Amino acid sequence: MGGTAVVVGGGIGGLSAAIGLRRIGWEVTVLERAAALADAGAGISLHANGLRALDVLGVGAAVRAAARPQYSGGTRTPSGGLLARMDGAALARELGTPIVGIPRATLHRLLRAALPPECLRTGVSVPSVDRSAPDRIAVPTGAGVLEADLVVAADGVGSRLRGQVFPDHPGPVYSGSTVLRAITARPVELSSDFELTWGQGAEFGHIAFTDGRAEWHAVLNSPPGVRHADPLGTLRDRFHDWHEPIPTLLAATHPEAVLHHDIHELVTPLPSYVADRIAFLGDAAHAMTPHLGQGACQALEDAATLAAALADAPTVATALARYDTERRPRAQSVARAARQAGRMGQQLSHPAAVALRNTALRLAPSRAAIRGILRHADWTPPSLG
């Protein structure tokens, strides 16, 4: 079954969906609201499930070649004490691939390279679609109307298409955490590929890249909307007595490189990931907190599953029903687990509760951390036929 699809949103999920649809013979147009597909953002870790989805989409090898495997690391206290070690080699043996770290901009470029340039249209806002016809969807673009057999709503956590289709849904809510992040301006000497440090209501982490630079992020309990005149200076004050390489990472960063975003999530699950001929994907469907590192991986799973369903099913309606059945329970379960991980990790602020959690982590067998990752990362993608 082939057809014509419009993908609303040119992020990781939208581009991956477009790649998958083209691989099964669909004509695809990606509409991105931004005037240019800027290679912005910090870094990302991709677990086995995300990499397996990329393999099905045909871009896994290119992503692996540009990424750095994460074999060493763990979770520490602000003084540097080890709470839990990450055995990346054991994970790779279990899953057939290590977790990898890659700049988001690099991942975006690799995904775009898998699509012909004429597929991508920037500066196009899609606040709504016309679903009045039984077998087609009309997508107004400002420069005309696109008729499509399918619309993929990959327009992010603030999805306007989700608001149109589910007007009674409360939408995203503030998680209680805000994140500041950047990539260092120069290579940094690091003793681990990936590391998290948990304090009281704060987390600092880093991901090492192939060129020696690193992504760092600081996640803080905070009221929404708080912004700092000097974000980097604020972080240097906040983390000045935390262990190395945290001060070094901040010192290696240009102030203008720091990004600051409040973290919003869909606490109320969507009743469905489909409506008529619209499929919701990525943050538009299941925006989650970053505490498991699964947000992008779940979007990649969405893309591979949607393409496989459309490749096999006799009708779009049948394919979308399968997509919803396969994706909604899993993605919503991962979102709940991410929320719980944040409450027991970065968001925990009471000194007694932090001390109890730290003791539990130190006493836990090393296999426990691996089991926690396997629970979400050990996913088998469907075949595209």
Side-chain angles (χ1 to χ4, degrees):
M1 176 182 63
T4 302
V6 171
V7 177
V8 181
I12 292 171
L15 293 173
S16 299
I19 292 168
L21 291 171
R22 281 184 53 82
R23 284 181 70 85
I24 63 170
W26 281 60
E27 297 181 12
V28 184
T29 301
V30 179
L31 304 178
E32 167 56 40
R33 181 170 54 182
L37 290 168
D39 290 324
I44 187 172
S45 289
L46 293 174
H47 292 245
N49 55 320
L51 292 167
R52 290 171 180 174
L54 288 167
D55 288 337
V56 167
L57 298 174
V59 291
V63 171
R64 284 184 174 86
R68 174 168 166 166
Q70 297 176 1
Y71 289 117
S72 61
T75 305
R76 297 186 179 275
T77 66
S79 63
L82 186 65
L83 295 174
R85 188 179 305 278
M86 185 190 78
D87 190 343
L91 275 173
R93 289 193 298 269
E94 293 270 5
L95 296 170
T97 182
I99 302 170
V100 302
I102 188 171
R104 281 182 177 269
T106 302
L107 179 58
H108 288 171
R109 287 197 296 269
L110 292 172
L111 294 174
R112 292 205 307 271
L115 295 167
E118 60 269 20
C119 277
L120 307 175
R121 294 175 56 180
T122 58
V124 181
S125 179
V126 183
S128 63
V129 295
D130 182 353
R131 298 184 286 154
S132 58
D135 57 352
R136 301 283 284 176
I137 294 186
V139 183
T141 68
V145 176
L146 296 178
E147 297 283 341
D149 301 298
L150 170 71
V151 168
V152 179
D155 51 343
V157 61
S159 171
R160 289 185 285 181
L161 292 184
R162 185 183 62 229
Q164 177 194 2
V165 173
F166 301 108
D168 295 328
H169 188 273
V173 299
Y174 182 55
S175 68
S177 298
T178 193
V179 59
L180 295 93
R181 54 195 166 193
I183 296 176
T184 60
R186 59 180 184 272
V188 178
E189 194 70 32
L190 297 170
S191 60
S192 61
D193 301 316
F194 170 85
E195 201 161 79
L196 295 177
T197 299
W198 283 343
Q200 294 179 14
E203 170 186 300
F204 196 100
H206 75 251
I207 301 169
F209 297 145
T210 56
D211 62 2
R213 296 180 305 151
E215 182 264 6
W216 58 259
H217 68 265
V219 188
L220 308 170
N221 290 353
S222 170
V226 174
R227 293 297 180 266
H228 308 286
D230 178 10
L232 189 58
T234 299
L235 292 177
R236 286 172 175 165
D237 291 341
R238 176 68 174 79
F239 295 103
H240 76 277
D241 57 349
W242 286 35
H243 67 86
E244 286 289 352
I246 293 171
T248 296
L249 288 164
L250 294 174
T253 302
H254 289 156
E256 62 273 16
V258 179
L259 305 173
H260 188 178
H261 297 98
D262 290 342
I263 299 170
H264 290 80
E265 58 173 329
L266 287 185
V267 174
T268 302
L270 283 185
S272 176
Y273 285 0
V274 303
D276 298 329
R277 289 174 172 259
I278 301 175
F280 289 86
L281 181 149
D283 283 350
H286 46 68
M288 62 188 68
T289 66
H291 297 102
L292 291 178
Q294 276 289 329
C297 291
Q298 291 302 306
L300 292 168
E301 286 190 22
D302 291 345
T305 302
L306 178 62
L310 288 163
D312 293 342
T315 67
V316 171
T318 304
L320 293 187
R322 171 182 157 185
Y323 169 74
D324 181 59
T325 297
E326 294 185 8
R327 289 302 306 144
R328 185 156 49 92
R330 172 167 166 80
Q332 291 177 349
S333 173
V334 173
R336 288 192 299 270
R339 187 178 311 120
Q340 182 63 24
R343 289 172 178 169
M344 298 303 296
Q346 171 265 313
Q347 292 182 327
L348 207 60
S349 59
H350 192 282
V354 169
L356 184 63
R357 183 222 32 222
N358 290 356
T359 299
L361 283 174
R362 289 191 182 100
L363 294 176
S366 59
R367 182 71 185 170
I370 293 176
R371 285 198 303 268
I373 295 174
L374 290 174
R375 186 177 301 118
H376 308 296
D378 192 10
W379 171 80
T380 301
S383 170
L384 296 192

